[in-house]
């Protein structure tokens, strides 16, 4: 997520990066938890379980599908 608070940005301009450490820590924790949950579901339900979402949010997001072939 990038927010330009004033003016415009051109290639080669110096920038100041500010990281919201609390938000980043929450995203990191949810990302790791998603991997652990996915692996546990694969072990219990089978290799056909797939992780669908490719992003994490501070509040968490898990999208997993279980489609078995007939």
């Amino acid at each position: 997520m990038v927010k330009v608070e004033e003016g415009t940005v051109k290639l080669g301009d110096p920038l100041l990066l500010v990281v919201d450490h609390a938000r980043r820590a929450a995203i990191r924790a949810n990302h790791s938890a998603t991997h652990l949950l996915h692996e546990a579901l694969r072990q219990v339900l089978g290799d056909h379980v797939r992780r669908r979402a490719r992003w994490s949010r501070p509040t968490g997001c898990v999208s997993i599908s279980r489609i078995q072939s007939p």
Side-chain angles (χ1 to χ4, degrees):
M1 176 185 329
V2 174
K3 180 180 180 183
V4 177
E5 293 187 348
E6 66 180 61
T8 59
V9 178
K10 299 180 306 253
L11 185 62
D13 283 351
L15 301 174
L16 172 65
L17 173 67
V18 178
V19 176
D20 181 338
H21 292 283
R23 181 178 186 276
R24 182 69 194 108
I27 290 171
R28 186 172 46 248
N30 286 328
H31 178 83
S32 297
T34 298
H35 283 286
L36 293 170
L37 175 61
H38 179 230
E39 181 57 27
L41 289 170
R42 285 174 56 98
Q43 287 180 17
V44 172
L45 300 175
D47 289 338
H48 59 280
V49 173
R50 297 284 182 251
R51 181 173 167 230
R52 305 301 292 184
R54 299 201 183 278
W55 42 266
S56 297
R57 293 184 175 170
T59 56
C61 176
V62 177
S63 178
I64 295 178
S65 67
R66 181 181 187 224
I67 300 173
Q68 288 182 289
S69 299

